[in-house]
Amino acid sequence: MSIIKRYPENPILTKDDVPYKVATVHNAGAVKYGGKYLLLFRSHLLNGRSIIGLAESTDGYNFKVNPEPFMIPSEEGDFKLYEEYGVEDPRITFIEGEYLITYSAYSRYGVRIGLAKTRDFKSIERFSLITEADYRNVVIFPERINGLYARLDRPHSEITPWSIWISYSKDLKYWGDSKVVMRPVKYHWDEMKIGPGAPPIKTSSGWLSIYHGVFQTMDGSVYRLGAALHDLKDPSKMLGVYDEWILQPEEEYEITGYVHNVVFTCGAIPEPDGTVKIYWGGADKVMCAGEAVLDELVSCCLNKSRSAL
Ligand code: BMA
């Protein structure tokens, strides 16, 4: 049996649930806010560029989409320049009273990461562009570690398959002390590239990271999800990387869509009962949800680990 139990009524959101014109609903960041579950989801417009919408729910499965988009490309300054082609794949971290949203900003200059902040999911302040080009998948830890903000990210490189790195910051603006923490493994389900998925979740055994891994086939790339555990005090240290995937495209809505054979997560919500709700885009077209037990994911990482580097 799969370690992630799919919600039986998946998909939980499709373009038909969106009151404005979009082609897809996928790759949503997720958070609990004011007793509700919120998703910030990506949608392709009919020109192929992406914007971000907001949906809310009382049970984490039945969502209602706001009448207006939440984030569209900025009209101001540097953000305007670097968001020209769209904003994609938001991740949300609650830290010190604020919700931090990291998102991919696309432009003629490549893809880089923007950081925006909100306290109420109504107004949003674009804070800074926190990478140069050729980065995606930035997730910020929900606590400072040794006094510093910490993030996982995925730079693009020609020399090694795209890997997961860690960096630190005093102010969320300037990042450094970067180190590679995890690499794809040759002839393995994640051999082509990996990237952080949901922001890390604190458990008593370590920071649990749900990431995506890609395998290239004669029929294109297959996106799956995996799990890894980082040391609580020094998250650059890997305690284990589960050898097997935890989710792969199996249902019709994951196999066929805008891009076939994709499950891609940007958010997961830990619950007080030790379960975690995981949200993923199915085939870059719809939003799906499922549930897992945190302890089980942690023991997979600790008991059946492949090498991290
Ligand atoms: C990645 C990103 C994701 C997308 C995935 C599968 O490179 O563009 O947003 O879900 O490809 O198409």
Side-chain angles (χ1 to χ4, degrees):
M1 212 187 76
S2 172
I3 190 157
I4 298 180
K5 257 195 282 153
R6 284 180 176 79
Y7 179 60
E9 284 161 54
N10 273 342
I12 56 167
L13 275 181
T14 73
K15 69 181 165 77
D16 298 333
D17 300 310
V18 181
Y20 42 93
K21 202 158 106 186
V22 296
T24 63
V25 174
H26 62 300
N27 299 3
V31 78
K32 259 192 198 165
Y33 168 75
K36 289 199 170 150
Y37 296 80
L38 299 190
L39 293 181
L40 289 184
F41 60 87
R42 168 178 170 196
S43 284
H44 281 103
L45 298 172
L46 273 59
N47 63 6
R49 295 183 180 174
S50 294
I51 60 168
I52 293 169
L54 172 66
E56 56 178 67
S57 160
T58 50
D59 65 359
Y61 295 112
N62 293 284
F63 282 88
K64 188 165 173 0
V65 177
N66 272 15
E68 304 293 334
F70 182 72
M71 259 182 104
I72 58 172
S74 173
E75 285 299 320
E76 283 165 27
D78 273 358
F79 291 98
K80 176 175 178 171
L81 188 66
Y82 293 108
E83 295 177 9
E84 179 192 11
Y85 293 170
V87 287
E88 304 187 359
D89 297 2
R91 273 83 171 186
I92 311 165
T93 296
F94 179 66
I95 185 165
E96 296 168 10
E98 290 183 313
Y99 296 86
L100 308 179
I101 302 164
T102 49
Y103 59 96
S104 302
Y106 275 84
S107 73
R108 66 189 66 194
Y109 306 107
V111 55
R112 62 188 306 199
I113 297 296
L115 170 59
K117 297 181 177 186
T118 185
R119 285 177 182 270
D120 56 10
F121 288 93
K122 290 193 179 87
S123 62
I124 178 165
E125 176 212 344
R126 277 173 168 84
F127 178 71
S128 187
L129 289 149
I130 57 169
T131 71
E132 65 268 55
D134 287 341
Y135 278 80
R136 281 182 44 92
N137 307 310
V138 171
V139 297
I140 297 179
F141 286 74
E143 276 176 25
R144 289 188 201 229
I145 295 163
N146 306 317
L148 298 173
Y149 295 103
R151 80 179 196 205
L152 301 176
D153 62 35
R154 206 284 310 284
H156 302 176
S157 159
E158 280 186 17
I159 296 174
T160 189
W162 298 358
S163 307
I164 297 179
W165 290 63
I166 195 163
S167 299
Y168 301 91
S169 173
K170 283 186 184 146
D171 56 8
L172 290 172
K173 190 166 182 176
Y174 300 102
W175 295 81
D177 277 343
S178 306
K179 252 190 181 177
V180 63
V181 292
M182 251 179 86
R183 262 166 44 96
V185 161
K186 196 80 196 146
Y187 215 74
H188 195 257
W189 66 268
D190 66 2
E191 79 164 355
M192 183 192 171
K193 57 178 176 171
I194 56 176
I201 294 170
K202 193 176 195 183
T203 74
S204 53
S205 314
W207 294 104
L208 179 74
S209 155
I210 300 174
Y211 70 99
H212 67 260
V214 186
F215 188 86
Q216 217 166 10
T217 74
M218 293 303 284
D219 187 34
S221 305
V222 180
Y223 277 71
R224 300 185 173 97
L225 301 184
L229 200 67
H230 297 243
D231 186 81
L232 281 179
K233 293 206 176 100
D234 176 6
S236 72
K237 205 171 125 199
M238 300 306 301
L239 303 178
V241 180
Y242 186 34
D243 189 55
E244 301 176 4
W245 63 71
I246 57 169
L247 191 78
Q248 72 156 346
E250 275 175 16
E251 298 294 333
E252 182 270 329
Y253 50 79
E254 297 160 339
I255 292 171
T256 313
Y258 191 82
V259 179
H260 63 268
N261 289 323
V262 176
V263 292
F264 192 97
T265 189
C266 292
I269 299 182
E271 298 285 15
D273 67 356
T275 61
V276 56
K277 288 191 175 61
I278 302 172
Y279 296 92
W280 64 90
D284 282 3
K285 191 174 175 192
V286 296
M287 269 314 295
C288 310
E291 195 184 81
V293 176
L294 278 170
D295 277 352
E296 289 180 12
L297 293 172
V298 166
S299 55
C300 287
C301 298
L302 293 174
N303 299 327
K304 197 170 185 191
S305 181
R306 54 96 154 165
S307 65
L309 290 171

